[in-house]
Amino acid sequence: MRFQMLRRVTRPVLNSLARTKQKLFSPRLLLYTNTGITACLSVAGDVMQQWYQAQTRKKLLVLDQTRTTRMAGTGLLIGPVVHYWYIFLDGWLPGRTFGVLCKKVLMDQLICSPIYLSIFMLSLCYMENKTWTQAKADIVDKGPQLMLAEWFVWPPAQFINFFFLPTQYRVLYDNTISLAFDFFWSYVWYEMDKDEPADPTV
């Protein structure tokens, strides 16, 4: 009896959630869904990083809203790029054989990752009003760490993505992995310099 009552209560909720998911991931709304997911999880990763740094330094968390807004801005720019990239890649290299998977992962790392990182770094430099000289210094200083992390994390993650998931869910999966990655990105861009010991000769 209790189980039947529970089913009566939960069934409308589950049906509503299923309809919402179907609508959000439909071709008509997928671009907006993917962009929103990317921006929201960029914000979440940055807030987590700020909270972690506050805990590490034993300080009260005072959220840097400007910094978080900038991270959201990178998500709004990167979301459409990744959305269209997956559509293009699945059309260009259809199928799920091992050879196709290897080609997709290779193309993802050689083409999409550099574009992705460039948009991230250049857009942050622009939003921070940095000069081109300052932007180049940041890219040279922080770009290698970000690229190395890309090469370490994404090839195995993308094998799973390309083998198991249909195109409309690729960005959602991508961003679940990126939540931890955004945490790292936020650290490299905003916190790494603070953690480096001061030069005793200065």
Side-chain angles (χ1 to χ4, degrees):
M1 181 70 70
R2 288 181 180 177
F3 180 71
Q4 290 178 344
M5 289 180 63
L6 182 63
R7 286 183 62 184
R8 288 197 199 99
V9 171
T10 58
R11 185 178 294 170
V13 176
L14 294 176
N15 289 342
S16 178
L17 289 174
R19 287 193 298 271
T20 301
K21 185 194 83 167
Q22 187 175 14
K23 187 178 294 184
L24 289 175
F25 288 93
S26 67
R28 188 169 62 89
L29 294 179
L30 188 58
L31 172 62
Y32 304 106
T33 300
N34 286 336
T35 303
I37 289 170
T38 306
C40 288
L41 290 184
S42 295
V43 167
D46 182 62
V47 171
M48 288 167 55
Q49 177 57 234
Q50 290 193 51
W51 176 85
Y52 174 76
Q53 291 298 329
Q55 295 296 309
T56 301
R57 293 166 183 155
K58 297 182 178 176
K59 296 180 179 179
L60 288 174
L61 173 62
V62 179
L63 193 64
D64 186 339
Q65 295 181 8
T66 301
R67 163 180 158 171
T68 303
T69 301
R70 288 170 180 161
M71 290 297 290
T74 66
L76 290 173
L77 292 172
I78 290 170
V81 173
V82 180
H83 168 85
Y84 286 113
W85 168 249
Y86 284 135
I87 292 172
F88 166 76
L89 195 60
D90 285 340
W92 183 31
L93 296 169
R96 299 184 182 185
T97 64
F98 183 74
V100 168
L101 291 176
C102 288
K103 288 177 184 177
K104 281 186 173 181
V105 171
L106 184 63
M107 292 299 99
D108 190 66
Q109 291 302 297
L110 293 179
I111 298 174
C112 190
S113 284
I115 293 172
Y116 191 96
L117 285 174
S118 297
I119 292 172
F120 172 76
M121 291 186 288
L122 291 173
S123 63
L124 278 179
C125 287
Y126 176 79
M127 286 185 281
E128 292 167 1
N129 295 315
K130 291 184 177 179
T131 65
W132 177 238
T133 301
Q134 291 171 321
K136 284 193 294 184
D138 273 341
I139 291 169
V140 169
D141 183 42
K142 298 167 183 176
Q145 288 91 338
L146 296 173
M147 198 71 218
L148 186 62
E150 282 267 335
W151 289 340
F152 180 76
V153 171
W154 286 109
Q158 293 294 54
F159 261 101
I160 296 170
N161 194 1
F162 294 135
F163 184 76
F164 288 105
L165 297 176
T167 304
Q168 66 263 37
Y169 299 123
R170 294 211 194 286
V171 175
L172 175 61
Y173 168 84
D174 191 304
N175 277 280
T176 60
I177 305 297
S178 280
L179 182 58
F181 205 67
D182 290 338
F183 180 89
F184 174 74
W185 277 27
S186 182
Y187 167 75
V188 170
W189 195 261
Y190 288 110
E191 303 291 345
M192 189 173 65
D193 292 342
K194 299 177 185 176
D195 291 340
E196 292 177 354
D199 188 345
T201 62
V202 178

